[in-house]
Amino acid sequence: MGLEDLSQIASSLSNLKDENVLVDFRGNEDAGVYQLTPELALVQTADFITPVVNDPYVYGQIAAANALSDVYAMGGVVKCALNLMMWDSCRIPQDYACAILEGGLSKIKEAGGVLVGGHTVSDSEQKYGLSVSGIINPKKIWRNNGAQVGDALILTKPIGMGVLTTTLKANMLDSKVAHKISQIMATLNRYACEIASNFEIHACTDITGFGLLGHLSEMLNPEINIRLESQVIPLVEEAIEFAKMGIIPGGSCGNERAIKSLCAFHLQRDSKFKDLEILLFDAQTSGGLVFALPQNEAKELLARLRDNGIEYAQIIGVTEPYKNDSTQARIFVE
């Protein structure tokens, strides 16, 4: 679902009151958190997607990495997972389905978790993902809206995946680029999470279906605005060519409609996003984490991330004091 539909539908739901529920679906958080003991809480999430690449094993890896990411966005540790598999047995060979599950299992293992079961449904459209359970210290939860004035924002993966996977489906993408984006999407956010856990993280989210600006809008709180430096936002550059050709996923256009009123663009002529602001709304699959942390710690975290192979990590902006002016804008892109 798009941002608008999801918000309207979720707003009608009324949950039971339970003092052990630390995080639920309100507040646009990435996963739910339920306290078990004073020092231990359960992290729960679920996600599944249609194929974004042609190789079934790699598709399984990407779908699993995408689902596992929500635990890492909360600062948690993955423990176990259930497969969620929708399969058209009349059109999709059994060995293809097996390869999807093997790919997913490889990422569950890499996360340090175990597969404990799953559920399948006969469906005319292939879908695969996971329900994931993790653990966390209740005192160390990373919420998405805890950023403080003066924080720096670090993004750990490039954007542009929505445009490029759409291009791949149209058989227009070079095999080298297809391999590159497959590797990016299949990379677990576990490593970035573990490195960042040694720093004072005020807020965190992962960049997935609502795009960079959509998920950053969920990081807003009454105290802050966000200011981004567009030129340093990591982007798979090949996405520019295809975006200029008009190859844009419907979800990206929906994201733009939903939150453009919150955004103000003051792009320089040489900005790679000039006349291509849609890329900042581009719906991602298995995107990176965004960390909000004190500026005096940001450069060290960035160096640690890059030293550990997270090559695309970049400081993309800062948080500023909220100003109640005549515009609705809360995210400023320069």
Side-chain angles (χ1 to χ4, degrees), residues 142-181:
W142 295 342
R143 297 176 184 269
N144 60 15
N145 63 354
Q148 301 177 16
V149 173
D151 280 350
L153 300 174
I154 294 181
L155 174 62
T156 64
K157 285 187 184 183
I159 61 174
M161 299 302 161
V163 167
L164 291 170
T165 54
T166 302
T167 305
L168 179 61
K169 290 179 182 178
N171 295 315
M172 297 173 60
L173 196 64
D174 178 86
S175 60
K176 290 183 179 179
V177 180
H179 177 74
K180 177 169 69 173
I181 65 170

Side-chain angles (χ1 to χ4, degrees), residues 77-267:
V77 176
V78 170
K79 299 307 290 184
C80 59
L82 298 167
N83 278 326
L84 303 174
M85 178 78 149
M86 280 118 274
W87 178 44
D88 184 356
S89 59
C90 296
R91 295 192 306 113
I92 305 297
Q94 192 174 77
D95 58 350
Y96 185 100
C98 289
I100 294 171
L101 296 178
E102 287 290 345
L105 181 57
S106 74
K107 288 296 166 178
I108 296 169
K109 290 178 178 177
E110 186 182 341
V114 293
L115 178 67
V116 293
H119 186 67
T120 59
V121 175
S122 179
D123 197 326
S124 59
E125 186 175 30
Q126 178 64 57
K127 305 176 189 73
Y128 171 66
L130 302 173
S131 171
V132 187
S133 296
I135 57 173
I136 195 169
N137 185 319
K139 301 179 182 66
K140 297 181 179 180
I141 299 168
W142 295 342
R143 297 176 184 269
N144 60 15
N145 63 354
Q148 301 177 16
V149 173
D151 280 350
L153 300 174
I154 294 181
L155 174 62
T156 64
K157 285 187 184 183
I159 61 174
M161 299 302 161
V163 167
L164 291 170
T165 54
T166 302
T167 305
L168 179 61
K169 290 179 182 178
N171 295 315
M172 297 173 60
L173 196 64
D174 178 86
S175 60
K176 290 183 179 179
V177 180
H179 177 74
K180 177 169 69 173
I181 65 170
S182 295
Q183 293 304 303
I184 292 169
M185 290 186 289
T187 298
L188 292 181
N189 283 327
R190 171 184 181 177
Y191 311 107
C193 172
E194 291 176 347
I195 294 166
S197 66
N198 297 303
F199 292 79
E200 185 184 343
I201 303 300
H202 293 154
C204 181
T205 191
D206 62 344
I207 307 304
T208 51
F210 297 155
L212 176 63
L213 295 184
H215 287 286
L216 287 179
S217 73
E218 295 176 336
M219 297 186 79
L220 293 169
N221 63 52
E223 305 299 323
I224 66 163
N225 287 335
I226 289 173
R227 188 169 299 274
L228 301 178
E229 185 179 350
S230 67
Q231 276 298 80
V232 300
I233 294 173
L235 169 73
V236 180
E237 296 290 337
E238 289 83 356
I240 294 174
E241 171 191 354
F242 296 107
K244 287 180 177 178
M245 294 169 59
I247 302 177
I248 309 293
S252 303
C253 297
N255 293 338
E256 182 179 34
R257 288 192 301 270
I259 63 159
K260 192 169 184 178
S261 63
L262 291 175
C263 305
F265 296 93
H266 306 287
L267 300 175

